[in-house]
């Protein structure tokens, strides 16, 4: 299989169009293929290769920040040795998955969706795509679909957060953004400063420290960090005793329960959680270092708790390969970074791990009969469909558990909706917003990247079916009990105008 599947031209019409060929899109394709086998589908991906995040991120040490048994698919057992898997392992796993389930021939890479307009008269979406890059720029064309499913993730692939550091143009070294890591960058023997203390910084710092002369992690505010083993001994025992499929399900359920339990423990008992995390870190790097650099002013899970695999960050600090500095940047200077305290951090390479930009629709202009859709003016039904937007779903994973757990749940719900439409002979369904629902942000974390971007995302409500729970088992039960006939407003197929000979009795 090639890494850039594009086996046949994009069809003129499909029942379900899935946008994005990362984990969410591949999961969605599998679920549509297996649960709605009479529906046609296509997956379009703007990048030259499938994989989404795992194809984009190439910085040193890139890996999952949740365990691979919950990040991988429930229908494709993980067979690797690592529980905290590296990026290239995950990308290889995704490629093998699409090949095994014949999804690869439905994926169309280098196909960027720029707009999608719903026609109420014909009950279908007209989706504008760009392909190729000739002398006159990309070639535009359209494809229609009965149901549009955005699996584009939640951040901007084209640019990250830029804090606009003063004086950066005067720096004599190299400035690198992790999201766009340059090929061939050699940091061997170099002085490296990594700005940031989130998941990316905690991953890239120990990875670069292996070869760099010195790595300094420069943070404005500390982050809560927990050390987890790269290899899961419980998983190894289960896999020795059970076949691959049952073993995967057992490990996945156990790890999901553990992660969710720790999240709710932190939220209910923040002082105990503080003590637990600080004591564990102090055993590695000492109480003084923890007090100065690893004790945030907020409670655990007010912002995401980050993972250091095999305690590699703490070990690099112990070996004095890594320094941690907690201070504010005054400006860049030729030799490095001047801090507010007056200290200058010398650097040959500066890595700006300063966070992502959240993006709801992946730069896609969505409209209803020509009227633009502002996601922030809509509620999210069951974590999947925008209120008052017909035949449209959006995938947004968990923030306190692996993305895939929620992505798969959403994909299964979308298939329920599609099959409900088929049984009831409906051309369109809409989740109608209810009066009296109190709106809340979709993500309730204090993290900087969330606070910068969440106001442009759909909202959640204070009660079902509009509430976004962060508990997998409760979501499974809620969705199983959901009455689609009562919660969704349908348009009979007889009430819409046929759009042409390619109209199918689906989606």
């Amino acid at each position: 299989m090639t890494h850039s599947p594009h086996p046949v031209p994009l069809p003129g019409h499909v029942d379900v169009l899935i946008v994005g060929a990362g984990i969410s899109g591949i999961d969605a394709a599998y679920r549509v293929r297996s649960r709605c086998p009479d529906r046609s589908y296509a997956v379009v991906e703007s990048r030259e290769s499938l994989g989404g995040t795992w194809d984009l991120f190439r910085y040193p040490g890139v890996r999952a920040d949740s365990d691979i048994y919950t990040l991988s698919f429930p229908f494709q057992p993980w067979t690797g040795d690592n529980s905290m898997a590296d990026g290239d392992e995950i990308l290889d796993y995704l490629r093998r998955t699409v090949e095994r389930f014949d999804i690869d021939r439905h994926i169309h890479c280098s196909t960027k969706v720029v707009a999608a307009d719903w026609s109420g008269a014909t009950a279908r979406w007209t989706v504008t795509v760009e392909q190729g890059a000739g002398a006159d720029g990309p070639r535009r064309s359209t494809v229609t679909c009965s149901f549009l499913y955005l699996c584009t993730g939640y951040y901007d692939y084209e640019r990250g957060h830029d804090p606009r550091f003063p004086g950066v143009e005067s720096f004599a070294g190299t400035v690198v953004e992790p999201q766009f890591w340059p090929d061939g960058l050699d940091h061997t023997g170099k002085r490296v400063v990594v700005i940031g203390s989130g998941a990316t910084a905690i991953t890239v710092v120990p990875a670069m420290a292996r070869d760099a002369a010195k790595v300094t992690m420069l943070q404005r505010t500390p982050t809560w960090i927990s050390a987890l083993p790269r290899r899961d001994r419980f998983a190894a025992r289960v896999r020795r005793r059970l076949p691959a499929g049952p073993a995967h399900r057992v490990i996945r359920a156990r790890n999901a329960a553990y992660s969710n339990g720790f999240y709710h423990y932190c939220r209910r008992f923040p002082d105990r959680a503080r003590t637990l995390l600080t004591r564990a870190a102090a055993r590695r790097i000492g109480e003084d270092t923890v007090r100065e650099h690893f004790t945030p002013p907020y409670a655990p899970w007010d912002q995401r708790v980050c993972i250091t695999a095999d305690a590699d960050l703490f070990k690099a600090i112990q070996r004095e390969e890594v320094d941690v500095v907690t201070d504010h940047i005054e400006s860049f200077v030729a030799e490095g970074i001047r801090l507010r305290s007056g200290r200058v951090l010398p650097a040959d390479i500066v890595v700006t791990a300063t966070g992502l930009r959240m993006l709801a629709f992946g730069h896609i202009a969505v409209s209803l009969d020509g009227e633009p859709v502002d996601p922030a003016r809509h509620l999210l039904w069951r974590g999947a469909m925008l209120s008052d937007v017909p035949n449209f779903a959006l995938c947004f994973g968990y923030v306190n558990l692996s993305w895939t757990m929620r992505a798969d749940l959403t994909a299964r719900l979308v298939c329920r909706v599609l099959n409900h439409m088929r049984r009831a002979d409906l051309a369109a369904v809409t989740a109608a917003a209810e009066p009296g629902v109190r709106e809340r942000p979709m993500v309730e974390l204090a993290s900087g990247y969330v606070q910068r971007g969440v106001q442009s995302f759909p909202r959640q409500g204070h009660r079902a079916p509009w509430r976004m729970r962060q508990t997998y088992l409760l979501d499974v039960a809620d969705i199983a009990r959901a009455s689609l006939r009562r919660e969704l407003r349908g348009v009979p197929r007889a009430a819409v105008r046929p759009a042409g000979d390619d109209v199918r009795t689906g989606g």
Side-chain angles (χ1 to χ4, degrees), residues 171-174 184-194 205 208-216 321 346-351:
F171 177 52
T174 302
L185 178 68
D186 184 10
H187 62 274
T188 304
K190 301 291 181 64
R191 299 165 300 175
V192 180
V193 174
V194 178
V205 164
M208 297 188 77
R210 298 182 195 122
D211 301 309
K214 173 69 81 172
V215 177
T216 301
E321 297 170 352
D348 303 302
I349 298 172
V350 172
V351 180

PDB file of all heavy atoms in Angstrom, residues 171-174 184-194 205 208-216 321 346-351:
ATOM      1  N   PHE A 171      17.779  37.238  16.865  1.00  0.00           N
ATOM      2  CA  PHE A 171      18.405  35.997  17.338  1.00  0.00           C
ATOM      3  C   PHE A 171      19.289  35.414  16.236  1.00  0.00           C
ATOM      4  O   PHE A 171      18.860  35.246  15.089  1.00  0.00           O
ATOM      5  CB  PHE A 171      17.321  35.014  17.755  1.00  0.00           C
ATOM      6  CG  PHE A 171      17.823  33.670  18.189  1.00  0.00           C
ATOM      7  CD1 PHE A 171      18.822  33.570  19.160  1.00  0.00           C
ATOM      8  CD2 PHE A 171      17.310  32.499  17.648  1.00  0.00           C
ATOM      9  CE1 PHE A 171      19.294  32.321  19.573  1.00  0.00           C
ATOM     10  CE2 PHE A 171      17.757  31.249  18.061  1.00  0.00           C
ATOM     11  CZ  PHE A 171      18.761  31.166  19.024  1.00  0.00           C
ATOM     12  N   ALA A 172      20.539  35.065  16.585  1.00  0.00           N
ATOM     13  CA  ALA A 172      21.499  34.571  15.595  1.00  0.00           C
ATOM     14  C   ALA A 172      21.352  33.081  15.309  1.00  0.00           C
ATOM     15  O   ALA A 172      21.931  32.575  14.340  1.00  0.00           O
ATOM     16  CB  ALA A 172      22.925  34.867  16.074  1.00  0.00           C
ATOM     17  N   GLY A 173      20.584  32.372  16.133  1.00  0.00           N
ATOM     18  CA  GLY A 173      20.432  30.936  15.953  1.00  0.00           C
ATOM     19  C   GLY A 173      19.196  30.569  15.139  1.00  0.00           C
ATOM     20  O   GLY A 173      18.702  31.364  14.332  1.00  0.00           O
ATOM     21  N   THR A 174      18.681  29.368  15.373  1.00  0.00           N
ATOM     22  CA  THR A 174      17.545  28.828  14.624  1.00  0.00           C
ATOM     23  C   THR A 174      16.331  28.727  15.533  1.00  0.00           C
ATOM     24  O   THR A 174      16.428  28.212  16.651  1.00  0.00           O
ATOM     25  CB  THR A 174      17.881  27.421  14.080  1.00  0.00           C
ATOM     26  OG1 THR A 174      19.047  27.504  13.260  1.00  0.00           O
ATOM     27  CG2 THR A 174      16.723  26.855  13.270  1.00  0.00           C
ATOM     28  N   GLY A 184      16.186  17.297   8.690  1.00  0.00           N
ATOM     29  CA  GLY A 184      17.642  17.413   8.741  1.00  0.00           C
ATOM     30  C   GLY A 184      18.190  18.361   9.784  1.00  0.00           C
ATOM     31  O   GLY A 184      19.402  18.632   9.778  1.00  0.00           O
ATOM     32  N   LEU A 185      17.356  18.878  10.676  1.00  0.00           N
ATOM     33  CA  LEU A 185      17.879  19.769  11.710  1.00  0.00           C
ATOM     34  C   LEU A 185      18.771  18.971  12.672  1.00  0.00           C
ATOM     35  O   LEU A 185      18.322  18.006  13.286  1.00  0.00           O
ATOM     36  CB  LEU A 185      16.730  20.428  12.483  1.00  0.00           C
ATOM     37  CG  LEU A 185      17.156  21.353  13.626  1.00  0.00           C
ATOM     38  CD1 LEU A 185      17.831  22.605  13.083  1.00  0.00           C
ATOM     39  CD2 LEU A 185      15.959  21.731  14.493  1.00  0.00           C
ATOM     40  N   ASP A 186      20.016  19.369  12.805  1.00  0.00           N
ATOM     41  CA  ASP A 186      20.971  18.661  13.663  1.00  0.00           C
ATOM     42  C   ASP A 186      21.185  19.460  14.938  1.00  0.00           C
ATOM     43  O   ASP A 186      21.695  20.581  14.907  1.00  0.00           O
ATOM     44  CB  ASP A 186      22.295  18.481  12.915  1.00  0.00           C
ATOM     45  CG  ASP A 186      23.302  17.654  13.712  1.00  0.00           C
ATOM     46  OD1 ASP A 186      22.906  17.073  14.751  1.00  0.00           O
ATOM     47  OD2 ASP A 186      24.475  17.606  13.305  1.00  0.00           O
ATOM     48  N   HIS A 187      20.802  18.865  16.076  1.00  0.00           N
ATOM     49  CA  HIS A 187      20.982  19.560  17.352  1.00  0.00           C
ATOM     50  C   HIS A 187      22.135  18.971  18.161  1.00  0.00           C
ATOM     51  O   HIS A 187      22.326  19.335  19.318  1.00  0.00           O
ATOM     52  CB  HIS A 187      19.689  19.514  18.171  1.00  0.00           C
ATOM     53  CG  HIS A 187      19.253  18.123  18.536  1.00  0.00           C
ATOM     54  ND1 HIS A 187      18.475  17.340  17.694  1.00  0.00           N
ATOM     55  CD2 HIS A 187      19.487  17.367  19.645  1.00  0.00           C
ATOM     56  CE1 HIS A 187      18.243  16.179  18.281  1.00  0.00           C
ATOM     57  NE2 HIS A 187      18.845  16.171  19.464  1.00  0.00           N
ATOM     58  N   THR A 188      22.896  18.082  17.542  1.00  0.00           N
ATOM     59  CA  THR A 188      24.009  17.441  18.249  1.00  0.00           C
ATOM     60  C   THR A 188      25.008  18.489  18.741  1.00  0.00           C
ATOM     61  O   THR A 188      25.507  19.314  17.959  1.00  0.00           O
ATOM     62  CB  THR A 188      24.722  16.437  17.325  1.00  0.00           C
ATOM     63  OG1 THR A 188      23.778  15.490  16.845  1.00  0.00           O
ATOM     64  CG2 THR A 188      25.839  15.724  18.067  1.00  0.00           C
ATOM     65  N   GLY A 189      25.299  18.451  20.038  1.00  0.00           N
ATOM     66  CA  GLY A 189      26.272  19.371  20.614  1.00  0.00           C
ATOM     67  C   GLY A 189      25.806  20.812  20.707  1.00  0.00           C
ATOM     68  O   GLY A 189      26.601  21.688  21.069  1.00  0.00           O
ATOM     69  N   LYS A 190      24.550  21.070  20.430  1.00  0.00           N
ATOM     70  CA  LYS A 190      24.035  22.445  20.431  1.00  0.00           C
ATOM     71  C   LYS A 190      23.390  22.779  21.782  1.00  0.00           C
ATOM     72  O   LYS A 190      22.973  21.901  22.547  1.00  0.00           O
ATOM     73  CB  LYS A 190      22.994  22.614  19.319  1.00  0.00           C
ATOM     74  CG  LYS A 190      23.496  22.317  17.913  1.00  0.00           C
ATOM     75  CD  LYS A 190      24.481  23.363  17.441  1.00  0.00           C
ATOM     76  CE  LYS A 190      24.973  23.075  16.025  1.00  0.00           C
ATOM     77  NZ  LYS A 190      23.906  23.140  15.019  1.00  0.00           N
ATOM     78  N   ARG A 191      23.295  24.078  22.049  1.00  0.00           N
ATOM     79  CA  ARG A 191      22.557  24.565  23.214  1.00  0.00           C
ATOM     80  C   ARG A 191      21.123  24.836  22.762  1.00  0.00           C
ATOM     81  O   ARG A 191      20.898  25.637  21.853  1.00  0.00           O
ATOM     82  CB  ARG A 191      23.202  25.837  23.756  1.00  0.00           C
ATOM     83  CG  ARG A 191      24.649  25.668  24.221  1.00  0.00           C
ATOM     84  CD  ARG A 191      25.325  27.008  24.400  1.00  0.00           C
ATOM     85  NE  ARG A 191      25.344  27.768  23.155  1.00  0.00           N
ATOM     86  CZ  ARG A 191      25.791  29.028  23.041  1.00  0.00           C
ATOM     87  NH1 ARG A 191      26.273  29.647  24.098  1.00  0.00           N
ATOM     88  NH2 ARG A 191      25.776  29.647  21.873  1.00  0.00           N
ATOM     89  N   VAL A 192      20.181  24.163  23.419  1.00  0.00           N
ATOM     90  CA  VAL A 192      18.783  24.222  23.003  1.00  0.00           C
ATOM     91  C   VAL A 192      17.937  24.788  24.138  1.00  0.00           C
ATOM     92  O   VAL A 192      18.082  24.376  25.300  1.00  0.00           O
ATOM     93  CB  VAL A 192      18.252  22.817  22.625  1.00  0.00           C
ATOM     94  CG1 VAL A 192      16.790  22.892  22.201  1.00  0.00           C
ATOM     95  CG2 VAL A 192      19.112  22.204  21.522  1.00  0.00           C
ATOM     96  N   VAL A 193      17.075  25.734  23.804  1.00  0.00           N
ATOM     97  CA  VAL A 193      16.066  26.220  24.747  1.00  0.00           C
ATOM     98  C   VAL A 193      14.697  25.865  24.187  1.00  0.00           C
ATOM     99  O   VAL A 193      14.388  26.191  23.030  1.00  0.00           O
ATOM    100  CB  VAL A 193      16.160  27.746  24.964  1.00  0.00           C
ATOM    101  CG1 VAL A 193      14.990  28.234  25.842  1.00  0.00           C
ATOM    102  CG2 VAL A 193      17.481  28.114  25.613  1.00  0.00           C
ATOM    103  N   VAL A 194      13.906  25.161  24.971  1.00  0.00           N
ATOM    104  CA  VAL A 194      12.547  24.810  24.590  1.00  0.00           C
ATOM    105  C   VAL A 194      11.597  25.677  25.409  1.00  0.00           C
ATOM    106  O   VAL A 194      11.590  25.587  26.644  1.00  0.00           O
ATOM    107  CB  VAL A 194      12.248  23.317  24.824  1.00  0.00           C
ATOM    108  CG1 VAL A 194      10.803  22.991  24.456  1.00  0.00           C
ATOM    109  CG2 VAL A 194      13.214  22.451  24.027  1.00  0.00           C
ATOM    110  N   VAL A 205      11.918  17.728  25.081  1.00  0.00           N
ATOM    111  CA  VAL A 205      13.083  18.077  25.907  1.00  0.00           C
ATOM    112  C   VAL A 205      13.971  16.873  26.192  1.00  0.00           C
ATOM    113  O   VAL A 205      15.179  16.905  25.893  1.00  0.00           O
ATOM    114  CB  VAL A 205      12.623  18.780  27.206  1.00  0.00           C
ATOM    115  CG1 VAL A 205      13.745  18.790  28.244  1.00  0.00           C
ATOM    116  CG2 VAL A 205      12.191  20.209  26.901  1.00  0.00           C
ATOM    117  N   MET A 208      15.718  15.538  22.884  1.00  0.00           N
ATOM    118  CA  MET A 208      16.827  16.334  22.371  1.00  0.00           C
ATOM    119  C   MET A 208      18.024  16.294  23.314  1.00  0.00           C
ATOM    120  O   MET A 208      19.172  16.434  22.874  1.00  0.00           O
ATOM    121  CB  MET A 208      16.383  17.779  22.139  1.00  0.00           C
ATOM    122  CG  MET A 208      15.298  17.928  21.082  1.00  0.00           C
ATOM    123  SD  MET A 208      14.941  19.653  20.658  1.00  0.00           S
ATOM    124  CE  MET A 208      16.346  20.056  19.605  1.00  0.00           C
ATOM    125  N   ALA A 209      17.746  16.084  24.608  1.00  0.00           N
ATOM    126  CA  ALA A 209      18.832  16.096  25.590  1.00  0.00           C
ATOM    127  C   ALA A 209      19.824  14.964  25.379  1.00  0.00           C
ATOM    128  O   ALA A 209      20.975  15.054  25.839  1.00  0.00           O
ATOM    129  CB  ALA A 209      18.243  16.013  26.995  1.00  0.00           C
ATOM    130  N   ARG A 210      19.420  13.910  24.677  1.00  0.00           N
ATOM    131  CA  ARG A 210      20.331  12.778  24.459  1.00  0.00           C
ATOM    132  C   ARG A 210      21.564  13.192  23.656  1.00  0.00           C
ATOM    133  O   ARG A 210      22.636  12.622  23.823  1.00  0.00           O
ATOM    134  CB  ARG A 210      19.592  11.649  23.735  1.00  0.00           C
ATOM    135  CG  ARG A 210      18.421  11.080  24.517  1.00  0.00           C
ATOM    136  CD  ARG A 210      17.761   9.933  23.777  1.00  0.00           C
ATOM    137  NE  ARG A 210      16.456   9.622  24.324  1.00  0.00           N
ATOM    138  CZ  ARG A 210      15.318   9.643  23.638  1.00  0.00           C
ATOM    139  NH1 ARG A 210      15.336   9.927  22.340  1.00  0.00           N
ATOM    140  NH2 ARG A 210      14.166   9.366  24.226  1.00  0.00           N
ATOM    141  N   ASP A 211      21.396  14.158  22.753  1.00  0.00           N
ATOM    142  CA  ASP A 211      22.503  14.538  21.854  1.00  0.00           C
ATOM    143  C   ASP A 211      22.939  15.991  22.000  1.00  0.00           C
ATOM    144  O   ASP A 211      24.028  16.352  21.551  1.00  0.00           O
ATOM    145  CB  ASP A 211      22.099  14.292  20.390  1.00  0.00           C
ATOM    146  CG  ASP A 211      21.729  12.841  20.131  1.00  0.00           C
ATOM    147  OD1 ASP A 211      22.519  11.962  20.502  1.00  0.00           O
ATOM    148  OD2 ASP A 211      20.640  12.587  19.577  1.00  0.00           O
ATOM    149  N   ALA A 212      22.114  16.828  22.588  1.00  0.00           N
ATOM    150  CA  ALA A 212      22.446  18.244  22.704  1.00  0.00           C
ATOM    151  C   ALA A 212      23.501  18.469  23.784  1.00  0.00           C
ATOM    152  O   ALA A 212      23.688  17.645  24.688  1.00  0.00           O
ATOM    153  CB  ALA A 212      21.194  19.048  23.031  1.00  0.00           C
ATOM    154  N   ALA A 213      24.191  19.597  23.695  1.00  0.00           N
ATOM    155  CA  ALA A 213      25.138  19.962  24.752  1.00  0.00           C
ATOM    156  C   ALA A 213      24.391  20.250  26.045  1.00  0.00           C
ATOM    157  O   ALA A 213      24.819  19.850  27.135  1.00  0.00           O
ATOM    158  CB  ALA A 213      25.958  21.175  24.322  1.00  0.00           C
ATOM    159  N   LYS A 214      23.279  20.933  25.935  1.00  0.00           N
ATOM    160  CA  LYS A 214      22.428  21.249  27.090  1.00  0.00           C
ATOM    161  C   LYS A 214      21.062  21.659  26.562  1.00  0.00           C
ATOM    162  O   LYS A 214      20.958  22.357  25.551  1.00  0.00           O
ATOM    163  CB  LYS A 214      23.024  22.383  27.916  1.00  0.00           C
ATOM    164  CG  LYS A 214      22.135  22.894  29.044  1.00  0.00           C
ATOM    165  CD  LYS A 214      21.970  21.886  30.180  1.00  0.00           C
ATOM    166  CE  LYS A 214      23.143  21.899  31.117  1.00  0.00           C
ATOM    167  NZ  LYS A 214      22.929  21.064  32.323  1.00  0.00           N
ATOM    168  N   VAL A 215      20.012  21.201  27.244  1.00  0.00           N
ATOM    169  CA  VAL A 215      18.650  21.620  26.913  1.00  0.00           C
ATOM    170  C   VAL A 215      18.064  22.328  28.123  1.00  0.00           C
ATOM    171  O   VAL A 215      18.154  21.829  29.260  1.00  0.00           O
ATOM    172  CB  VAL A 215      17.754  20.423  26.525  1.00  0.00           C
ATOM    173  CG1 VAL A 215      16.323  20.893  26.271  1.00  0.00           C
ATOM    174  CG2 VAL A 215      18.296  19.715  25.292  1.00  0.00           C
ATOM    175  N   THR A 216      17.482  23.489  27.882  1.00  0.00           N
ATOM    176  CA  THR A 216      16.803  24.235  28.936  1.00  0.00           C
ATOM    177  C   THR A 216      15.321  24.299  28.620  1.00  0.00           C
ATOM    178  O   THR A 216      14.945  24.712  27.513  1.00  0.00           O
ATOM    179  CB  THR A 216      17.358  25.663  29.055  1.00  0.00           C
ATOM    180  OG1 THR A 216      18.760  25.597  29.343  1.00  0.00           O
ATOM    181  CG2 THR A 216      16.650  26.434  30.164  1.00  0.00           C
ATOM    182  N   GLU A 321      21.370  16.851  32.246  1.00  0.00           N
ATOM    183  CA  GLU A 321      21.303  17.122  30.803  1.00  0.00           C
ATOM    184  C   GLU A 321      20.279  18.214  30.514  1.00  0.00           C
ATOM    185  O   GLU A 321      20.318  18.843  29.450  1.00  0.00           O
ATOM    186  CB  GLU A 321      20.893  15.857  30.050  1.00  0.00           C
ATOM    187  CG  GLU A 321      21.880  14.710  30.172  1.00  0.00           C
ATOM    188  CD  GLU A 321      21.328  13.414  29.622  1.00  0.00           C
ATOM    189  OE1 GLU A 321      20.124  13.357  29.284  1.00  0.00           O
ATOM    190  OE2 GLU A 321      22.102  12.442  29.526  1.00  0.00           O
ATOM    191  N   PRO A 346      21.739  31.342  26.895  1.00  0.00           N
ATOM    192  CA  PRO A 346      22.396  31.196  25.584  1.00  0.00           C
ATOM    193  C   PRO A 346      21.773  30.032  24.815  1.00  0.00           C
ATOM    194  O   PRO A 346      21.406  29.007  25.392  1.00  0.00           O
ATOM    195  CB  PRO A 346      23.850  30.911  25.943  1.00  0.00           C
ATOM    196  CG  PRO A 346      23.798  30.332  27.318  1.00  0.00           C
ATOM    197  CD  PRO A 346      22.632  30.960  28.006  1.00  0.00           C
ATOM    198  N   ALA A 347      21.633  30.194  23.511  1.00  0.00           N
ATOM    199  CA  ALA A 347      20.992  29.156  22.701  1.00  0.00           C
ATOM    200  C   ALA A 347      21.497  29.197  21.275  1.00  0.00           C
ATOM    201  O   ALA A 347      21.746  30.270  20.712  1.00  0.00           O
ATOM    202  CB  ALA A 347      19.471  29.336  22.706  1.00  0.00           C
ATOM    203  N   ASP A 348      21.635  28.004  20.706  1.00  0.00           N
ATOM    204  CA  ASP A 348      21.859  27.870  19.264  1.00  0.00           C
ATOM    205  C   ASP A 348      20.541  27.570  18.559  1.00  0.00           C
ATOM    206  O   ASP A 348      20.346  27.946  17.397  1.00  0.00           O
ATOM    207  CB  ASP A 348      22.846  26.723  18.995  1.00  0.00           C
ATOM    208  CG  ASP A 348      24.174  26.917  19.712  1.00  0.00           C
ATOM    209  OD1 ASP A 348      24.813  27.953  19.464  1.00  0.00           O
ATOM    210  OD2 ASP A 348      24.540  26.049  20.531  1.00  0.00           O
ATOM    211  N   ILE A 349      19.651  26.857  19.264  1.00  0.00           N
ATOM    212  CA  ILE A 349      18.327  26.506  18.725  1.00  0.00           C
ATOM    213  C   ILE A 349      17.287  26.829  19.791  1.00  0.00           C
ATOM    214  O   ILE A 349      17.465  26.494  20.966  1.00  0.00           O
ATOM    215  CB  ILE A 349      18.246  25.005  18.372  1.00  0.00           C
ATOM    216  CG1 ILE A 349      19.263  24.633  17.294  1.00  0.00           C
ATOM    217  CG2 ILE A 349      16.834  24.629  17.920  1.00  0.00           C
ATOM    218  CD1 ILE A 349      19.377  23.133  17.039  1.00  0.00           C
ATOM    219  N   VAL A 350      16.218  27.492  19.378  1.00  0.00           N
ATOM    220  CA  VAL A 350      15.075  27.738  20.257  1.00  0.00           C
ATOM    221  C   VAL A 350      13.863  27.032  19.671  1.00  0.00           C
ATOM    222  O   VAL A 350      13.520  27.230  18.496  1.00  0.00           O
ATOM    223  CB  VAL A 350      14.787  29.236  20.428  1.00  0.00           C
ATOM    224  CG1 VAL A 350      13.475  29.457  21.196  1.00  0.00           C
ATOM    225  CG2 VAL A 350      15.931  29.926  21.160  1.00  0.00           C
ATOM    226  N   VAL A 351      13.236  26.191  20.476  1.00  0.00           N
ATOM    227  CA  VAL A 351      12.035  25.469  20.071  1.00  0.00           C
ATOM    228  C   VAL A 351      10.836  26.130  20.751  1.00  0.00           C
ATOM    229  O   VAL A 351      10.773  26.188  21.977  1.00  0.00           O
ATOM    230  CB  VAL A 351      12.108  23.980  20.466  1.00  0.00           C
ATOM    231  CG1 VAL A 351      10.846  23.244  20.032  1.00  0.00           C
ATOM    232  CG2 VAL A 351      13.347  23.336  19.858  1.00  0.00           C
TER     233      VAL A 351
END
